[in-house]
């Protein structure tokens, strides 16, 4: 597994300010923090760093419930894998919206962001059983009816690893199963300018389509969005968010 570098907060953003903002946001869900908890978290994450600062910045604003496939996903009767679940924000949203928790599995390569989610929601005891962490993909063939993948494609720079990720999603799905999610993308006609701060894989619509179909998925539907929740509100930087939904043939 390639080593993951800690990223820096974008210009004008800082750990102290962003933690304060997300804690206020999470309090609105009814989470109560003990005295001096903010200080404790600032000290902890100043010491340890935050793997994906953008993910910290959007905790409490899940994206899954804005996805064009979400209402159908909620009505689905099968099992869902959140593949590359990070903090688990999307899993919590599914549970809030009534998706049965026993049909949810959240997987990631490490505990780093999952633990950040536990620290902020203080719900480790209630939901830790939904999370599986491993350096290798641990699921057998055809275990899931849906695989959800949010902001994972664009963080996988290595081509072979990305191919393996798609192959795992394909294999874990039952025939007729759905892969849906989102990734940062390039707007039509744009050429990506070098951006060492940005994520390593920002695909055009054509590239995304070709990777999905190349992995065996069929008829991908891709919707281009500008989306403040992904901090891609500025059209001038040529990036957008692609929401996608595609099927493993039955
Ligand atoms: C930017 S975060 C997004 C987290 C979450 N899906 C969300 O929307 O908030 C990317 C996540 O993908 C995970 N990831 C990266 N490569 C992966 C891989 N090959 N398999 C599984 N997870 C991976 C990272 O560990 C990280 O938690």
């Amino acid at each position: 597994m390639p080593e993951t570098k800690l990223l820096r907060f974008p210009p004008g953003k800082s750990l102290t300010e962003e933690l304060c903002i997300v804690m206020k946001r999470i309090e609105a869900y009814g989470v109560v923090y003990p005295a001096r908890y903010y200080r404790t978290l600032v000290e902890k994450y100043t010491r340890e760093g935050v793997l994906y600062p953008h993910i910290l910045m959007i905790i409490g604003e899940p994206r899954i419930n804005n996805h064009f496939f979400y209402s159908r996903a909620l009505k689905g009767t099968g099992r869902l894998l959140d593949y590359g679940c990070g903090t688990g924000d999307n899993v919590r949203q599914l549970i809030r919206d009534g998706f049965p928790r026993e049909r949810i599995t959240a997987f990631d390569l490490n505990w780093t962001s999952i633990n950040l989610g536990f620290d902020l929601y203080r719900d480790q005891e209630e939901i830790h059983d939904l999370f599986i962490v491993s350096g290798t993909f641990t699921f057998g063939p055809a275990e899931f009816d849906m695989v959800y993948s949010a902001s994972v494609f664009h963080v996988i720079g290595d081509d072979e690893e990305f191919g393996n990720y798609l192959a795992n999603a394909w294999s874990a799905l039952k025939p007729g199963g759905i892969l849906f999610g989102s990734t940062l993308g390039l707007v039509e006609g744009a050429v990506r300018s070098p951006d060492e701060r940005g994520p390593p894989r920002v695909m055009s619509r054509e590239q995304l389509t070709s990777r999905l179909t190349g992995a065996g998925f069929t008829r991908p539907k891709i919707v281009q969005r500008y989306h403040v929740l992904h901090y891609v509100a500025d059209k001038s930087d040529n990036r957008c968010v692609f929401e996608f939904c595609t099927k493993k043939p039955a």
Side-chain angles (χ1 to χ4, degrees):
M1 192 190 357
E3 197 182 311
T4 312
K5 272 193 322 202
L6 289 179
L7 300 172
R8 279 168 297 157
F9 279 84
K13 306 280 180 186
S14 66
L15 172 69
T16 45
E17 199 186 336
E18 295 306 315
L19 258 182
C20 182
I21 294 169
V22 295
M23 286 175 75
K24 285 210 174 82
R25 204 184 286 146
I26 290 171
E27 279 175 325
Y29 288 111
V31 175
V32 177
Y33 295 118
R36 289 192 47 81
Y37 196 66
Y38 168 70
R39 236 331 92 211
T40 306
L41 290 190
V42 167
E43 280 162 19
K44 174 174 178 182
Y45 287 102
T46 302
R47 205 168 52 241
E48 295 180 3
V50 176
L51 196 53
Y52 294 106
H54 279 93
I55 291 306
L56 168 69
M57 289 159 61
I58 59 174
I59 297 185
E61 288 180 335
R63 276 125 288 135
I64 191 168
N65 48 333
N66 290 295
H67 195 286
F68 66 83
F69 183 72
Y70 189 60
S71 56
R72 275 187 287 158
L74 279 184
K75 288 185 202 133
T77 53
R79 290 186 63 202
L80 179 144
L81 173 68
D82 184 350
Y83 188 10
C85 60
T87 57
D89 235 15
N90 296 305
V91 162
R92 291 182 181 86
Q93 186 62 37
L94 279 162
I95 295 170
R96 265 181 230 124
D97 288 336
F99 194 92
R101 71 186 304 292
E102 63 278 10
R103 291 205 261 116
I104 302 173
T105 302
F107 174 81
D108 211 302
L109 298 175
N110 56 61
W111 286 104
T112 316
S113 299
I114 299 172
N115 284 336
L116 175 64
F118 289 155
D119 277 345
L120 284 163
Y121 284 94
R122 309 192 71 232
D123 59 358
Q124 179 163 5
E125 278 183 26
E126 289 119 76
I127 64 165
H128 77 276
D129 57 308
L130 304 184
F131 294 87
I132 294 178
V133 168
S134 170
T136 51
F137 195 68
T138 52
F139 304 100
E143 285 196 36
F144 295 94
D145 302 81
M146 291 177 275
V147 171
Y148 177 64
S149 168
S151 302
V152 183
F153 291 4
H154 64 242
V155 304
I156 305 180
D158 183 77
D159 235 30
E160 191 182 336
E161 191 193 347
F162 184 49
N164 290 339
Y165 178 90
L166 290 175
N168 290 338
W170 197 90
S171 149
L173 279 168
K174 294 179 182 160
I178 298 288
L179 169 68
F180 72 110
S182 56
T183 185
L184 280 180
L186 264 189
V187 297
E188 188 102 29
V191 179
R192 191 184 173 198
S193 49
D195 172 9
E196 64 169 44
R197 295 188 45 81
R201 178 181 303 280
V202 184
M203 292 181 280
S204 64
R205 179 188 289 271
E206 292 69 30
Q207 287 168 326
L208 176 57
T209 304
S210 137
R211 291 308 298 249
L212 290 171
T213 53
F217 291 100
T218 177
R219 296 207 318 265
K221 176 175 175 188
I222 297 173
V223 174
Q224 179 174 315
R225 300 185 75 177
Y226 295 93
H227 204 307
V228 284
L229 301 187
H230 291 76
Y231 290 86
V232 185
D234 178 5
K235 298 188 184 188
S236 67
D237 86 348
N238 289 339
R239 289 185 301 173
C240 61
V241 171
F242 286 133
E243 285 186 356
F244 56 85
C245 177
T246 188
K247 198 169 183 168
K248 176 172 176 171

